[in-house]
Amino acid sequence: MGKTNNTNETEFRECIASAPSSTANLGPGYDVFGLGLDALEDLVYLKLIKKSESNSDSIKIKIKGEGSKSIPLDPDQNSSGKVARRIIANYKLHRYDFIIEIEKNIPPGYGMGSSAASAVATAVAFNKIFKLDINDAELLDYAAEGEIASAGVKHYDNIAGSFFGDFVIVRSLPKLEFIKIKSPKDLTLVVCVPLIGVPKMKTEVARKALPEEVPLKKMVQNLSNACTIVAGFFNQDIQMICNGIDDCIIEPARQKLIPGFEQVKERSLKAGALAFAISGAGPSTIAFLNSKSRGSEVSNTMKETYGKLNIGCKTFICNPSSGAKIISIK
Ligand code: HSE
């Protein structure tokens, strides 16, 4: 396969993979619930060149797309680069030079799983091009390495939503496990992204805003809501899912990082949203609905609310997505 020359045998190969945007937490399911969203997707073009000698590997990251200038190209600070480094080391792929081209359609800093999508697509592309046969849990563990670049720690909720699509429960102890439940077909989401400056490692900053200890009463309240969400997905009952989307621990701590949070929540619920939450670590928020027809009304209300606050915003009316895909391999 690929191209050879006379002096040095080289081999060029390419795998293109996509992974969708996602939302995490869904209110009370902090670090546990992920939901793939068909709003946007990142594409990763993994290109490799086989060298005749096994010496140190090189990884070159190239990124194009909205907001890509703020993403570090150093592989040790880039979510795709971090995933690549670990897979290359573990599978001893040192006879290759790698170019990872990212078509970044999910802007970083939105709270829509941007780093997770690039990390997932990278892990999926490596798995495919080298026929590594990595099982899902292990593959997601590699992908989660990429989250360290934006969150400072591994967390699996966005990764899981982006990889599997639909609704995913992350069980991390005693061993990493993912439980996927199909979403009700009419579940509609409106994501609202206020266009404000966010810190570089904004997920890490948003995690630092959280309390270290939680009163038992609040733990019980969030647990019962989280169970209601799971039961809602299991029963394909959108109203039941939405009844559970109420978080008394994370939301109160993080809402101060999101301008206009209270107004946009109140007005979205009045406009027909059945539930409302911070999307992942924010600053985006997400409204849950049972039909697309109400989506534009909620979206317009969100825009009006931010308009009154003189803050620009973007909205996405979307549905749960299918998961990551291989687009092509050659
Ligand atoms: N569970 C993570 C957090 C999601 O809330 O920090 C980040 O997108």
Side-chain angles (χ1 to χ4, degrees), residues 13-17 44-48 57-59 61 79-89 91-94 96-100 118-134 139 142 326 329:
R13 299 198 63 201
E14 182 188 65
C15 180
I16 309 174
V44 165
Y45 297 66
L46 173 64
K47 301 178 181 197
L48 52 95
D57 56 83
S58 87
I59 304 172
I61 311 265
S79 49
S80 290
K82 279 179 130 13
V83 176
R85 275 260 191 271
R86 249 201 81 198
I87 297 182
I88 292 166
Y91 287 90
K92 303 192 173 33
L93 305 172
H94 302 296
Y96 297 88
D97 283 330
F98 298 89
I99 300 170
I100 302 172
S118 292
V120 163
T122 303
V124 165
F126 265 94
N127 193 31
K128 181 75 180 176
I129 206 162
F130 288 109
K131 298 193 177 83
L132 301 177
D133 217 8
I134 307 173
L139 193 73
Y142 282 116
I326 296 294
I329 178 156

Side-chain angles (χ1 to χ4, degrees), residues 180-203:
K180 179 181 169 179
I181 311 180
K182 217 177 158 31
S183 308
K185 91 172 169 12
D186 291 326
L187 180 61
T188 302
L189 302 311
V190 187
V191 182
C192 173
V193 188
L195 301 174
I196 54 170
V198 291
K200 229 177 183 181
M201 300 268 287
K202 68 106 187 148
T203 303

Side-chain angles (χ1 to χ4, degrees), residues 279-317:
S279 176
S284 55
T285 51
I286 183 163
F288 294 74
L289 293 91
N290 59 8
S291 78
K292 241 185 176 147
S293 54
R294 271 282 159 105
S296 337
E297 216 170 310
V298 171
S299 156
N300 289 339
T301 301
M302 289 165 156
K303 285 182 184 154
E304 261 172 44
T305 310
Y306 274 115
K308 281 187 187 149
L309 296 168
N310 285 323
I311 296 172
C313 84
K314 266 193 183 169
T315 60
F316 300 89
I317 303 172

Side-chain angles (χ1 to χ4, degrees), residues 224-272:
S224 75
N225 280 328
C227 292
T228 305
I229 293 174
V230 173
F233 275 100
F234 197 75
N235 290 326
Q236 299 287 288
D237 181 336
I238 295 175
Q239 185 61 60
M240 189 182 285
I241 295 169
C242 293
N243 291 346
I245 295 176
D246 184 34
D247 159 28
C248 65
I249 298 170
I250 310 296
E251 183 176 299
R254 279 184 173 168
Q255 67 180 61
K256 57 180 180 292
L257 304 175
I258 304 171
F261 178 83
E262 276 172 29
Q263 293 98 307
V264 79
K265 177 174 181 175
E266 191 192 322
R267 297 198 61 211
S268 299
L269 291 170
K270 267 198 193 136

